[in-house]
Amino acid sequence: MLLIYNSLSRRKEEFKPIHADRVGMYVCGPTVYGDGHLGHARPAITFDVVYRYLTHKGYKVRYVRNITDVGHLEHDADSGEDKIAKKARLEQLEPMEVVQHYLNRYHKAMERLNVLPPSIEPHASGHIIEQIEYIKKILEAGYAYESEGSVYFDVRKYNQDHNYGKLSGRNIDELLSTTRELDGQTEKRFPADFALWKKASPEHIMHWPSPWSEGFPGWHLECSTMGEKYLGTPFDIHGGGMDLKFPHHECEIAQSVAHNGHDSVHYWMHNNMITIDGQKMGKSLGNFITLDEFFTGSHPHLAQAYAPMVIRFFILQAHYRGTVDFSNEALQGAEKALGRMLDGYRRLQSLKESADADGSLMATIESIGTRCYEAMDDDFNTPMVIAALFEACGIVNNINDGRTKATQAEIEALRKIFDTFLIEILGVVADSATTDGSSDMKPYEDAVDLLLEMRSKAKADKDWTTSDLIRDRLAAIGFDVKDTKTGFEWSLKK
């Protein structure tokens, strides 16, 4: 039984898909502006694992991850100039040139992190007509009003009939006391009302015709519109970062109920934040580190470069609902742990059965596999899966070193556990733990193996000079070489 923590009910609930054989999942994707940072990697990796596991369980998953390329501003969707439009104006580019530039960078980073592409990746700018029609229905239902060419959602009117704030736990009085005074507030009936459509100022270069004005949709509208377009209503899972719970997802719920008369999502899932020294990552604090800077080690906060798989493993070592605090020490620890895991995986590929093995390991191996499934079924508990895999690594090392004997069936059972949970579900690419992010290390591994085979032949011929030379040169450039009963094994020095 798969349990998912539902942010709306604030408890774990048994996952019951609307359709028995398929799942609709919508995740708030990136705002396509600026270089992606470590905080962007966490939701991508979190919901990649959810996608992978649901697929592994046999569900046909339609995974929609939107691209926000219009209507999202740094502080509020009701005022200021759209960041994409601003950059396009300053650099004399088409707005979609700006979008494509940063989208290409985002996709490249996701590929290096081994994040699978979604089933559908719709752009907000490509669904303006649908958003206009969505607004019309909310107006007809009486939960929105037009003001000076803009359209605002009527939060107080909605709250009289429903419960605005049920996801985040906010209330109207709190909203009234915390809502900032912004340009355009005089158009509103109530400070907490949010824009469904904004009239464009003359210098605003991203705008479209509508019944109310030449303008653009508010930030919150795109997800309600595109989620329902591609997944229907209601659909199963809506995910995103904890910082989106309010106001973005709260506004989504209100829009959808106003539009449909009922909730459009069964399970709301939110991953927690990544912090640096206890503070949220942000440019204003000077602790903003891009993914490219992590991969190259080019930021002053970084002691070294970190491979994409190290970043992925670092994030998966914590439960997705827990806070992860960045430090070089924590990432270096993840790098060493991943190295041990991959060393075990490499040894596993060359294990041979023992003729006199009695099969006594099988119960322990099966128990590890069972615990991995139980951990994933308990709200995608990846740290518990990793702990179980390290236990399996210990068994592999004991077999490899001759301390334990194993049958072929036991070795195959171990391989199945690693292939299922480390490779397929956690998405760790076994041959891509280097900082260059290369996904094809086979030639590199083959070259090392070739050298060590030459060393083995030299030893057999009692050519100790050549044997020692190969060993010493490999050690000098960072390899640990170990002679075993069946030949040799190697690993990168920790």
Side-chain angles (χ1 to χ4, degrees), residues 104-167:
N104 290 344
R105 293 174 71 94
Y106 176 77
H107 284 158
K108 183 178 179 181
M110 293 304 102
E111 183 178 353
R112 295 178 73 179
L113 290 167
N114 198 30
V115 171
L116 298 175
S119 312
I120 304 172
E121 195 173 53
H123 290 233
S125 61
H127 295 76
I128 301 298
I129 293 174
E130 291 91 339
Q131 292 180 76
I132 290 172
E133 293 303 312
Y134 207 95
I135 294 170
K136 288 180 181 178
K137 288 198 69 173
I138 296 175
L139 282 165
E140 290 170 5
Y143 293 112
Y145 57 90
E146 182 182 355
S147 177
E148 300 180 27
S150 296
V151 179
Y152 293 96
F153 191 88
D154 194 331
V155 170
R156 284 188 298 186
K157 172 66 167 59
Y158 175 83
N159 194 59
Q160 291 172 1
D161 302 330
H162 304 284
N163 178 14
Y164 184 81
K166 65 181 181 179
L167 178 65

Side-chain angles (χ1 to χ4, degrees), residues 80-380:
E81 185 177 3
D82 187 291
K83 292 183 291 186
I84 293 172
K86 181 177 181 180
K87 185 173 180 65
R89 178 174 54 80
L90 292 175
E91 298 190 12
Q92 296 184 322
L93 300 171
E94 284 291 330
M96 289 303 109
E97 283 185 88
V98 178
V99 169
Q100 195 63 53
H101 170 76
Y102 288 111
L103 185 56
N104 290 344
R105 293 174 71 94
Y106 176 77
H107 284 158
K108 183 178 179 181
M110 293 304 102
E111 183 178 353
R112 295 178 73 179
L113 290 167
N114 198 30
V115 171
L116 298 175
S119 312
I120 304 172
E121 195 173 53
H123 290 233
S125 61
H127 295 76
I128 301 298
I129 293 174
E130 291 91 339
Q131 292 180 76
I132 290 172
E133 293 303 312
Y134 207 95
I135 294 170
K136 288 180 181 178
K137 288 198 69 173
I138 296 175
L139 282 165
E140 290 170 5
Y143 293 112
Y145 57 90
E146 182 182 355
S147 177
E148 300 180 27
S150 296
V151 179
Y152 293 96
F153 191 88
D154 194 331
V155 170
R156 284 188 298 186
K157 172 66 167 59
Y158 175 83
N159 194 59
Q160 291 172 1
D161 302 330
H162 304 284
N163 178 14
Y164 184 81
K166 65 181 181 179
L167 178 65
S168 62
R170 305 289 181 105
N171 59 64
I172 291 293
D173 292 334
E174 180 186 355
L175 291 173
L176 184 59
S177 64
T178 58
T179 302
R180 295 174 292 115
E181 289 297 325
L182 298 166
D183 292 340
Q185 293 282 23
T186 55
E187 300 177 3
K188 300 181 182 182
R189 296 175 182 173
F190 180 60
D193 293 348
F194 57 89
L196 298 173
W197 186 264
K198 281 293 295 180
K199 181 179 180 180
S201 57
E203 68 275 10
H204 203 293
I205 60 176
M206 294 182 75
H207 52 81
W208 294 264
S210 79
W212 315 287
S213 66
E214 189 81 12
F216 53 93
W219 169 37
H220 312 303
L221 191 64
E222 65 184 89
C223 291
S224 294
T225 302
M226 295 190 293
E228 293 177 24
K229 175 180 175 66
Y230 294 108
L231 299 175
T233 181
F235 59 88
D236 296 292
I237 298 172
H238 195 318
M242 192 73 73
D243 56 333
L244 297 179
K245 186 180 288 188
F246 185 87
H248 184 48
H249 289 164
E250 196 73 74
C251 293
E252 274 194 61
I253 290 175
Q255 290 169 167
S256 299
V257 172
H259 181 271
N260 302 313
H262 57 78
D263 286 322
S264 63
V265 177
H266 278 197
Y267 303 94
W268 288 87
M269 294 180 64
H270 294 91
N271 64 273
N272 216 321
M273 300 292 100
I274 292 182
T275 58
I276 295 182
D277 298 325
Q279 295 180 303
K280 182 182 175 183
M281 187 179 294
K283 289 183 178 179
S284 61
L285 298 173
N287 62 4
F288 182 92
I289 307 176
T290 70
L291 288 171
D292 279 345
E293 287 171 333
F294 273 103
F295 299 157
T296 61
S298 58
H299 191 280
H301 275 58
L302 299 175
Q304 63 180 78
Y306 295 100
M309 284 302 103
V310 171
I311 300 294
R312 185 176 181 102
F313 196 75
F314 169 68
I315 288 171
L316 293 177
Q317 282 183 306
H319 191 273
Y320 76 88
R321 286 192 285 113
T323 302
V324 173
D325 193 47
F326 158 80
S327 69
N328 278 288
E329 293 75 16
L331 269 174
Q332 288 165 355
E335 184 177 55
K336 291 179 180 178
L338 177 60
R340 292 195 302 272
M341 182 77 73
L342 294 181
D343 284 346
Y345 184 77
R346 185 183 296 114
R347 293 187 184 108
L348 178 57
Q349 307 315 308
S350 58
L351 289 185
K352 300 291 191 299
E353 66 175 330
S354 299
D356 54 346
D358 59 8
S360 58
L361 285 176
M362 188 60 81
T364 301
I365 295 169
E366 289 177 344
S367 171
I368 292 172
T370 298
R371 279 183 279 132
C372 286
Y373 276 112
E374 288 174 346
M376 289 302 297
D377 284 341
D378 185 12
D379 195 28
F380 310 99

